[in-house]
Amino acid sequence: MRTILFLIILIAANTLYAQNYLAQQGKIKFHSDAPIEDIDAESNAATCLYDPATKKVTAKVEIKTFVFPKPLMQEHFNENYLESDKYPAATIEGVLLGDVPKKDGVYKVMLKATLDLHGVKQPRTIPAQITMKGGQPVKAFATFDVKLVDHNIKIPTAVVMKIAEIIKVDAAFIFNKVK
């Protein structure tokens, strides 16, 4: 329900004349490469709104939508580390730097944004790719690292060898025009 309300507010906040693009089933994956155990999780429920006129990008994922290979990992992730009842979502809000050509192709871009995770906002500059087809954005992809300490995510000493201090995040979105 929060995601739907969030999207309605985002769409309503834009002018009637702007052509926006929305990804409703974006994929966010993360990987923790630690000495004892690797941990991977994925959500296919991320949303992203892109306004080419302003170059504004807003993305959101509900923390509880991440799925892990082991149910106990998912439980610990939600209850002990990300505290998803207290901090239910992660968001990125920012603008693309430079111009994105209208012609077909895959273009490297930089997103200057704020990542809000676990109740802590951090400025980020994230390298990304955007795919244009028929003069319109159809896909976007980004890979970036998140330092847990930057977002006050604490790892107990007992499991410090099982969870990396820096998590690799992949985000992928397929856009449709907002009607």
Side-chain angles (χ1 to χ4, degrees):
M1 182 66 176
R2 285 185 221 204
T3 300
I4 293 170
L5 184 58
F6 175 77
L7 292 173
I8 291 169
I9 291 168
L10 283 175
I11 293 166
N14 289 290
T15 66
L16 295 174
Y17 303 104
Q19 182 60 66
N20 293 317
Y21 296 86
L22 177 66
Q24 291 181 295
Q25 295 176 323
K27 183 181 287 189
I28 309 286
K29 297 190 313 187
F30 71 80
H31 177 75
S32 167
D33 186 8
I36 293 179
E37 182 175 33
D38 288 352
I39 299 171
D40 294 287
E42 182 175 312
S43 171
N44 292 314
T47 57
C48 182
L49 184 68
Y50 171 53
D51 179 352
T54 62
K55 299 189 258 181
K56 185 174 179 178
V57 174
T58 304
K60 179 179 181 180
V61 65
E62 297 287 332
I63 300 302
K64 287 186 178 181
T65 64
F66 282 98
V67 177
F68 290 72
K70 299 176 186 174
L72 190 58
M73 285 180 173
Q74 192 163 328
E75 182 180 323
H76 288 167
F77 172 79
N78 282 296
E79 292 177 8
N80 302 335
Y81 307 120
L82 271 285
E83 302 174 277
S84 57
D85 285 336
K86 187 175 181 180
Y87 308 107
T91 61
I92 290 181
E93 293 187 29
V95 295
L96 293 179
L97 303 176
D99 291 324
V100 177
K102 295 270 187 211
K103 68 181 191 173
D104 291 1
V106 178
Y107 301 97
K108 291 182 179 183
V109 294
M110 295 299 279
L111 177 65
K112 184 174 181 167
T114 299
L115 171 62
D116 186 348
L117 174 65
H118 197 242
V120 178
K121 294 181 179 183
Q122 289 286 330
R124 305 297 302 260
T125 302
I126 299 170
Q129 292 181 153
I130 191 162
T131 302
M132 300 294 289
K133 187 172 182 181
Q136 300 175 36
V138 292
K139 291 192 271 185
F141 178 80
T143 297
F144 58 97
D145 292 334
V146 175
K147 290 183 181 179
L148 299 182
V149 70
D150 288 350
H151 294 276
N152 292 333
I153 301 169
K154 295 175 180 32
I155 304 303
T157 307
V159 294
V160 76
M161 296 299 285
K162 291 184 176 186
I163 301 173
E165 294 177 18
I166 299 173
I167 306 299
K168 179 184 173 200
V169 177
D170 292 321
F173 298 100
I174 297 175
F175 294 109
N176 292 299
K177 279 185 189 178
V178 175
K179 308 240 182 219

